[in-house]
Amino acid sequence: DDLAKFVITDAYQRAAKSLVQHGFVLLLGEPACGKSTIAAALAVGALDEWSCFALKIRDADDFAKHSNPNEPKQFFWIDDAFGATQLDWHGTQRWNSVLPHIQAAIRRGARVIFTSRNYIYRSARNLLKESAFPLIHESQVVIRVDQLTNEEREQILYNHIRLGAQPNNFKSAIKPYLHKA
């Protein structure tokens, strides 16, 4: 349902560009700003564009388990890579041992997306061996909802109302107020 309402924003375009150029993107933002929706849209796009087999995995151990060195067309999506609502210290530490494997997979043609809330990633940086995976710096896309263009905001609102479950009388009643919203 979220993808039906999806609007191509500047953040999506920057994430797609990073994925094409580097094979990796780290989507950072506040809670509920669209990181996971952008990642899902990119996963669907990867199926079409690169015929990649897409996997949404939970952690570093899942990556190690599912990464196949004989399959270059893999797409890995790790939502809340460093913790969902607070830093997962142990999980973040585990990424350090897997980062070289991620880099090797990307060199073979795999695509990888991490999502994280800003404040969690700031804490995770102290634990990560970022020098082992420079792409984590080069491929960051910060999603700033407060910097959406008016056109992006209007299209997002329109899609949510048009495809939402609100009764038609509600939709009709709010129509005169949408421009200000």
Side-chain angles (χ1 to χ4, degrees), residues 9-28:
T9 61
D10 178 62
Y12 171 85
Q13 291 175 338
R14 288 184 288 128
K17 182 178 178 181
S18 179
L19 206 54
V20 168
Q21 288 180 342
H22 304 291
F24 176 82
V25 66
L26 169 59
L27 294 172
L28 297 171

Side-chain angles (χ1 to χ4, degrees), residues 2 26 33 36 41 51 68-69 91 93 104 120 159 161 178 181:
D2 285 344
L26 169 59
C33 72
S36 297
S51 301
N68 181 351
Q93 289 283 72
I120 294 174
N159 286 0
I161 292 171
L178 290 178

Side-chain angles (χ1 to χ4, degrees), residues 31-158:
C33 72
K35 301 177 298 291
S36 297
T37 303
I38 288 174
L42 290 169
V44 169
L47 288 168
D48 288 340
E49 185 68 25
W50 302 301
S51 301
C52 285
F53 181 68
L55 287 171
K56 185 175 180 186
I57 60 175
R58 292 171 296 167
D59 53 32
D61 294 331
D62 266 1
F63 182 87
K65 178 179 171 183
H66 294 290
S67 179
N68 181 351
N70 299 315
E71 177 54 60
K73 292 184 176 184
Q74 291 185 296
F75 184 94
F76 296 97
W77 167 17
I78 303 92
D79 214 16
D80 298 319
F82 311 110
T85 58
Q86 62 184 7
L87 177 67
D88 175 359
W89 184 88
H90 177 71
T92 301
Q93 289 283 72
R94 282 289 299 133
W95 282 115
N96 285 324
S97 65
V98 177
L99 288 175
H101 299 285
I102 293 174
Q103 195 157 330
I106 291 169
R107 277 196 305 269
R108 289 189 309 270
R111 306 288 200 266
V112 180
I113 295 179
F114 279 18
T115 69
S116 181
R117 294 178 179 190
N118 291 335
Y119 67 92
I120 294 174
Y121 178 68
R122 280 193 296 272
S123 297
R125 288 186 65 193
N126 298 324
L127 302 173
L128 290 171
K129 295 178 185 172
E130 293 176 322
S131 61
F133 191 63
L135 286 178
I136 209 157
H137 285 297
E138 298 167 19
S139 300
Q140 292 181 11
V141 173
V142 179
I143 301 164
R144 302 269 320 261
V145 175
D146 60 326
Q147 291 182 351
L148 290 172
T149 67
N150 282 339
E151 293 81 20
E152 291 170 342
R153 290 172 191 263
E154 288 171 358
Q155 189 64 54
I156 290 168
L157 180 59
Y158 173 80

